[in-house]
Amino acid sequence: MTTQELYNDISAKVAAGTLTPKERMAIPQQEMPVAEPKERARLMSEVALGYSAEQAIIEANRCLQCKNAPCMKGCPVSVPIPQFLDQVAHGEFKKAVDLIKTTNLLPAICGRVCPQETQCQGVCTIGKSLKNPEKAVSIGRLERFVADYERANNMQTVPAVAPATGKKVAVIGSGPAGLTVAADVRRAGHDVTIFEAFHKAGGVMVYGIPEFRLPKTIVAKEIDMLKEMGVEFRTNFLAGRTGTLEQLLKEQGFDAAFIGTGAGLPKFLRIEGENLIGVFSANEYLTRANLMKAYDTEHSATPLYKAKHVVVCGGGNVAMDAARMAFRLGAEEVDVVYRRTRNEMPARREEVAHAEEEGVNFRFLENPVKILGDENGRVCGVQVLSYELGEPDESGRRSPVAVPGSEHNIECDAMIVALGNGSNPLMEKTTPGLKVDDRGHILVDDTGMTSIEGVWAGGDIVLGAATVILAMGEGRRAAAGINAYLSK
């Protein structure tokens, strides 16, 4: 049965009210159309192409409308998932996106980059009934579809703002946590100013996530929406250097503040050769490509480091982004070195599959022990050690155990280290009384308030490097705390 025939059959049953739960479970999951792998590997355009309206309606009708809504419990911002899916199932796409926006103002972004398979979709009844979590209702793809539909048809509406309260809130950082706080606090009628260190707003969504996964025009649209709500943006403001938090509160008259500076301090291997030319943190590599458009050699604000064979160390989503970006920056061969196996990789399965389709070579059970340089101080290879899997560690993943004497070399002319990021200590060092843990994460109470009254924090600076939607959840909690505080 073709997609059109399936759509016609389901639509007729929905109109008649005769579509049974058994029939819903038998509806095949709709695959996301994607660009051809070998062509897209050299292009910055988006890889996933999105559902058609017919596919969206078919997929939404797989939802059983469970009364206990486990999917909502799996969502960090409690999107009313069954209700929005019901609207999609009936072709009411604008009503669907309006429902999502009651708790999530960034559906086009979350629909693209959130790990739904471990959150809302991970507890979906359909996936459990079919004994295959990957067959859950494709909530993220449907969220993306309705958000794109709204934008493509110029149907976006500016959220209502309550009457002015005369209170001012400073938001430090314009990543997902900061934008979420700004939206919820502004809706309550408070004046909001976002302070961003870079020259463009958007945080990790702009400098970290590549264009081929998240087009920057979409992020810009969401930021424009906040501006229409009355949120002010001040870019090129590095909190702790351009001005301190204390100055914002005492000299510029802000009544409350939120710290959402993220986790931008890259971690390294601490091995010989990491100071060679051609060794990058994934953070720097992706920032140059995403924010500064290194791939556009005629108009770029930064030089492009040309390399034919790139080795990436790591197994998360950032490692996948870096490896796939290397092809788009001209690499002919890309290896990902990871000290465990595919089963232990923290990256989303979809991202791993896309990387593999594009030609990325995975070298499992290997880890760098030395980076090799030539007479000019440039990378010419990586020495790696082989590993075997031992017993599970605290996270449940099996621990890698080195195989003595198994050192061997990989020739390459660039190395990218993608081992995650830590907290930048600047806020801690320039804000007296701000308490952090031994990893530099800001300590907060149940409402997200820090050790300083009137100052909240959330996102990666509290959680460590996490996800967009978890940062947004932190932002919603903090915004509720700020609004309650200012109402008193």
Side-chain angles (χ1 to χ4, degrees):
M1 188 181 292
T2 65
T3 298
Q4 189 63 47
E5 290 170 339
L6 182 59
Y7 166 74
N8 292 340
D9 180 56
I10 290 172
S11 296
K13 290 178 179 177
V14 168
T18 60
L19 190 63
T20 67
K22 185 176 180 180
E23 288 175 319
R24 290 183 186 277
M25 291 184 64
I27 297 172
Q29 185 183 48
Q30 298 301 290
E31 291 297 321
M32 173 74 88
V34 295
E36 197 282 321
K38 296 304 178 186
E39 290 181 7
R40 75 187 191 220
R42 301 294 177 182
L43 302 173
M44 292 301 294
S45 52
E46 196 168 10
V47 167
L49 303 178
Y51 279 156
S52 65
E54 291 80 8
Q55 282 184 300
I57 290 171
I58 293 169
E59 185 64 27
N61 273 290
R62 298 179 65 227
C63 176
L64 297 175
Q65 293 293 312
C66 309
K67 290 183 179 179
N68 62 340
C71 50
M72 280 188 67
K73 296 171 186 173
C75 175
V77 295
S78 301
V79 167
I81 294 169
Q83 291 91 335
F84 107 71
L85 290 181
D86 184 55
Q87 294 296 338
V88 179
H90 288 86
E92 298 286 354
F93 305 141
K94 174 58 177 168
K95 289 181 180 178
V97 76
D98 285 346
L99 278 168
I100 296 172
K101 287 188 175 182
T102 58
T103 68
N104 175 9
L105 275 180
L106 308 175
I109 295 169
C110 291
R112 285 170 164 81
V113 303
C114 286
Q116 291 95 1
E117 63 275 9
T118 61
Q119 295 176 161
C120 53
Q121 293 174 198
V123 291
C124 172
T125 303
I126 288 285
K128 290 186 175 181
S129 298
L130 296 175
K131 297 181 179 180
N132 185 352
E134 294 185 13
K135 295 297 182 182
V137 177
S138 301
I139 298 166
R141 293 172 178 175
L142 292 169
E143 182 179 32
R144 166 191 165 141
F145 170 80
V146 295
D148 288 356
Y149 176 89
E150 178 190 49
R151 189 177 63 258
N153 290 280
N154 295 313
M155 300 170 74
Q156 289 177 300
T157 50
V158 180
V161 174
T165 64
K167 303 290 186 182
K168 292 171 59 180
V169 179
V171 175
I172 300 172
S174 65
L179 296 183
T180 301
V181 169
D184 283 3
V185 170
R186 180 64 189 138
R187 280 197 275 203
H190 309 306
D191 289 340
V192 180
T193 302
I194 295 179
F195 296 88
E196 168 56 46
F198 282 128
H199 60 285
K200 287 185 180 179
V204 70
M205 298 178 292
V206 169
Y207 71 77
I209 302 174
E211 182 83 15
F212 55 81
R213 276 216 295 141
L214 177 61
K216 302 302 164 254
T217 53
I218 291 174
V219 181
K221 275 282 189 183
E222 305 296 357
I223 289 169
D224 286 344
M225 182 69 66
L226 286 173
K227 290 179 179 177
E228 289 187 53
M229 291 172 66
V231 174
E232 181 184 348
F233 286 81
R234 287 185 60 185
T235 54
N236 296 310
F237 186 101
L238 178 59
R241 285 287 181 267
T242 313
T244 65
L245 178 59
E246 192 172 31
Q247 288 172 331
L248 292 176
L249 294 172
K250 293 184 177 179
E251 297 176 16
Q252 297 193 32
F254 285 95
D255 301 285
F258 173 80
I259 303 171
T261 48
L265 194 65
K267 297 178 182 177
F268 282 94
L269 290 156
R270 297 185 179 180
I271 59 175
E272 183 182 342
E274 275 191 308
N275 61 340
L276 290 167
I277 299 169
V279 179
F280 299 89
S281 70
N283 217 18
E284 177 189 355
Y285 192 78
L286 290 171
T287 298
R288 287 180 182 274
N290 297 328
L291 185 67
M292 304 173 80
K293 303 188 185 302
Y295 56 86
D296 184 2
T297 53
E298 290 185 14
H299 308 99
S300 174
T302 186
L304 169 65
Y305 188 87
K306 295 182 179 180
K308 292 184 177 181
H309 186 173
V310 177
V311 170
V312 180
C313 178
N317 289 327
V318 175
M320 300 306 105
D321 287 344
R324 298 170 69 191
M325 182 62 78
F327 276 133
R328 289 159 173 84
L329 295 184
E332 297 173 5
E333 189 174 354
V334 180
D335 289 335
V336 168
V337 175
Y338 182 58
R339 62 179 186 159
R340 292 182 170 92
T341 71
R342 183 187 298 269
N343 293 334
E344 289 77 35
M345 290 183 82
R348 297 182 69 185
R349 290 190 178 184
E350 183 178 63
E351 300 307 323
V352 176
H354 283 169
E356 205 160 36
E357 288 170 0
E358 291 171 12
V360 173
N361 176 49
F362 287 90
R363 301 179 66 116
F364 297 112
L365 295 171
E366 292 183 344
N367 203 49
V369 291
K370 182 180 179 181
I371 303 174
L372 310 174
D374 63 17
E375 65 277 6
N376 297 314
R378 292 177 174 269
V379 174
C380 65
V382 179
Q383 187 177 90
V384 298
L385 190 64
S386 296
Y387 283 76
E388 296 174 342
L389 287 185
E391 296 301 315
D393 61 14
E394 294 176 0
S395 67
R397 292 186 298 170
R398 293 175 65 190
S399 300
V401 179
V403 178
S406 61
E407 293 89 345
H408 52 286
N409 296 341
I410 305 170
E411 290 186 7
C412 66
D413 51 358
M415 167 85 177
I416 302 170
V417 182
L419 300 178
N421 296 308
S423 302
N424 191 318
L426 185 58
M427 286 301 299
E428 172 200 350
K429 292 184 181 300
T430 60
T431 311
L434 185 66
K435 293 183 178 179
V436 300
D437 65 15
D438 56 2
R439 291 177 292 176
H441 302 150
I442 296 176
L443 297 173
V444 298
D445 65 14
D446 291 342
T447 71
M449 188 189 281
T450 69
S451 52
I452 302 173
E453 184 178 348
V455 178
W456 279 256
D460 290 359
I461 193 65
V462 171
L463 299 171
T467 62
V468 167
I469 194 68
L470 284 174
M472 290 175 64
E474 290 274 297
R476 295 217 77 205
R477 179 181 69 160
I482 292 170
N483 289 336
Y485 175 81
L486 294 180
S487 70
K488 297 175 182 177

